[in-house]
Amino acid sequence: MENTVFLKSCEDYSELSVATAIDAIFDHFGGVDAILSRGRDVLIKPNLLMARAPETATTAHPEIVYAVAKRLVDAGANVVIADSPGGPYTMQAIKKVYEDCGMDRAAQRAGAKLNYDFTSKKVTYDGIKTRQFDLITPAFNASTIISISKAKTHSLTHYTGAVKNLFGTIAGLNKAACHAKMPDAHDFCEFLVDLCNYNEPYINITDAVEGMDGKGPSGGRVRHIGVIGASRNPYALDLAMMNIVRLDHHSAPIHEIASQHDLVVKEPYELILLGDDILPLADRFIPAMKTHVATGAIRFLPKPLKKIIEPMVIKYPKMTKRCVGCADCARACPQKAITIIAGKAQINKEKCIKCYCCHELCPIKAIDL
């Protein structure tokens, strides 16, 4: 894969600022005609993790989605905006996500369609391992996928951006099943690499005007970065973004795996950066967690020893007094390790695989790590 990343300064989400950045990105990639030469059925896959307002920096900003969709629709593309967020993949759930994230208004303004097809297709892919993916139908049908991710820290993968965004092409609660089948973080990240390679997004765009650090991908703090990045290579884009926010890429298991398989260069200085000169942040991003089993020495220990040491090092999710017993965490848990007792969530540590889906999808940030 190529290792070129295009960076464009964008200080706010005003229509003019975003339009200028997106125009520059499209020009860099040969314009809309280059996209339509692949076919007119285009899927825009934004990060729509959960029903949150855009200003929380949890999801891709609707102004960026609108700007991309508008240019494609005006050129004659059939544009569908689709994601399978965390939790149930149903009409009621997805409508709330679209509304809260501003996707309904973005689609209407652009003339694009929102996905309400909740069917899926089983596909097989021979990657690092032979995989079977239960793919949302819009991803299966699209001639071209444009991924719009958000620059955030992540409790399991250290950083979540272009590559992790494609996890939303797995239909509904099958995502929880993936965690259950692959409780080891390294195995799960190999799965994410294979899934990304199967989808093969044509252009990857990361919304880093505002990002999130700390307890990402949903419970952290909003951080201003002031850039929109794009690349044909999602792994290169993620490496560039980690360098800008000063997250240690050696602690990111997806990058470790991708570089081992020659999908991306190992170090940021090996990337080809075009567009605006973007300096790394003076105040580096705070990681979601201090330790990562997939990248630490624990991963190389014999399994019996790993089983003893890992619980002492890798944190369990902690339910705080803020919990209101909404049960979103219980519904998201792939191991059914969470129950609601006396109006509060309780976790069974013997069942917990530390996938942190509960932390990721808690609507009121009531789970700590």
Side-chain angles (χ1 to χ4, degrees):
M1 284 190 177
E2 65 176 271
N3 290 288
T4 301
V5 178
F6 185 84
L7 301 172
K8 186 64 180 174
S9 177
C10 186
E11 288 297 321
D12 56 57
Y13 290 112
S14 67
E15 184 172 352
L16 178 59
S17 296
V18 172
T20 300
I22 296 302
D23 282 341
I25 288 169
F26 271 42
D27 288 346
H28 172 73
F29 289 107
V32 177
D33 289 343
I35 298 172
L36 296 189
S37 67
R38 299 165 53 87
R40 293 187 176 272
D41 295 319
V42 180
L43 167 63
I44 295 178
K45 165 57 184 81
N47 179 326
L48 301 180
L49 173 65
M50 61 196 305
R52 283 270 180 87
E55 56 267 22
T56 66
T58 306
T59 56
H61 199 279
E63 194 62 41
I64 295 177
V65 177
Y66 159 74
V68 173
K70 175 67 172 171
R71 282 147 184 77
L72 292 166
V73 170
D74 286 352
N78 304 311
V79 178
V80 175
I81 299 168
D83 189 18
S84 174
Y89 189 44
T90 62
M91 176 67 75
Q92 181 180 3
I94 202 70
K95 281 188 72 175
K96 181 169 175 54
V97 170
Y98 287 154
E99 291 170 4
D100 288 5
C101 295
M103 291 301 127
D104 53 351
R105 296 179 293 280
Q108 184 177 30
R109 289 168 62 203
K113 296 177 182 177
L114 292 173
N115 175 55
Y116 291 108
D117 180 348
F118 302 109
T119 62
S120 58
K121 306 283 187 181
K122 288 192 182 297
V123 299
T124 301
Y125 177 69
D126 290 321
I128 298 172
K129 296 179 181 177
T130 300
R131 313 279 186 182
Q132 190 170 70
F133 302 129
D134 198 7
L135 214 66
I136 61 174
T137 298
F140 182 83
N141 290 339
S143 55
T144 302
I145 296 176
I146 296 179
S147 168
I148 304 180
S149 57
K150 192 74 170 176
K152 299 183 292 182
T153 52
H154 196 279
S155 51
L156 186 66
T157 62
H158 192 59
Y159 173 80
T160 176
V163 179
K164 180 69 165 55
N165 188 41
L166 275 301
F167 192 40
T169 63
I170 298 294
L173 296 177
N174 286 292
K175 293 190 292 297
C178 291
H179 280 291
K181 291 177 183 177
M182 294 166 284
D184 180 83
H186 187 267
D187 291 344
F188 178 68
C189 287
E190 282 189 338
F191 169 86
L192 293 177
V193 169
D194 280 343
L195 178 63
C196 181
N197 290 345
Y198 173 82
N199 277 291
E200 199 176 3
Y202 183 62
I203 300 176
N204 302 274
I205 298 171
T206 294
D207 168 12
V209 179
E210 304 284 346
M212 178 183 289
D213 78 345
K215 297 175 183 178
S218 63
R221 60 174 179 168
V222 178
R223 290 291 307 274
H224 182 73
I225 308 167
V227 63
I228 298 176
S231 179
R232 291 268 172 79
N233 184 341
Y235 307 101
L237 179 57
D238 283 354
L239 179 58
M241 286 298 171
M242 282 189 281
N243 187 56
I244 289 172
V245 302
R246 297 176 64 199
L247 279 173
D248 179 16
H249 58 283
H250 297 295
S251 294
I254 291 174
H255 175 71
E256 177 193 31
I257 294 162
S259 61
Q260 286 174 350
H261 289 273
D262 296 323
L263 297 170
V264 68
V265 295
K266 293 183 181 296
E267 301 297 332
Y269 67 81
E270 298 177 88
L271 293 169
I272 301 170
L273 301 180
L274 302 176
D276 293 337
D277 187 13
I278 306 296
L279 297 176
L281 297 180
D283 184 10
R284 69 173 65 237
F285 262 33
I286 297 172
M289 292 185 67
K290 292 181 180 179
T291 57
H292 293 269
V293 67
T295 56
I298 295 174
R299 184 165 63 85
F300 301 101
L301 294 175
K303 284 189 176 181
L305 188 56
K306 176 182 174 182
K307 190 174 181 180
I308 296 171
I309 295 178
E310 181 181 309
M312 297 185 290
V313 178
I314 308 303
K315 298 179 181 179
Y316 286 100
K318 179 183 178 182
M319 312 303 175
T320 69
K321 294 180 180 179
R322 298 189 297 275
C323 176
V324 296
C326 70
D328 279 6
C329 58
R331 286 186 285 270
C333 180
Q335 295 297 88
K336 307 300 179 186
I338 301 174
T339 53
I340 307 301
I341 301 174
K344 298 289 184 181
Q346 306 270 342
I347 185 166
N348 183 334
K349 291 184 178 180
E350 292 184 0
K351 291 184 176 181
C352 177
I353 60 174
K354 301 174 185 175
C355 65
Y356 308 120
C357 289
C358 56
H359 171 264
E360 183 171 329
L361 296 174
C362 178
I364 59 170
K365 305 181 183 181
I367 301 174
D368 287 341
L369 299 177

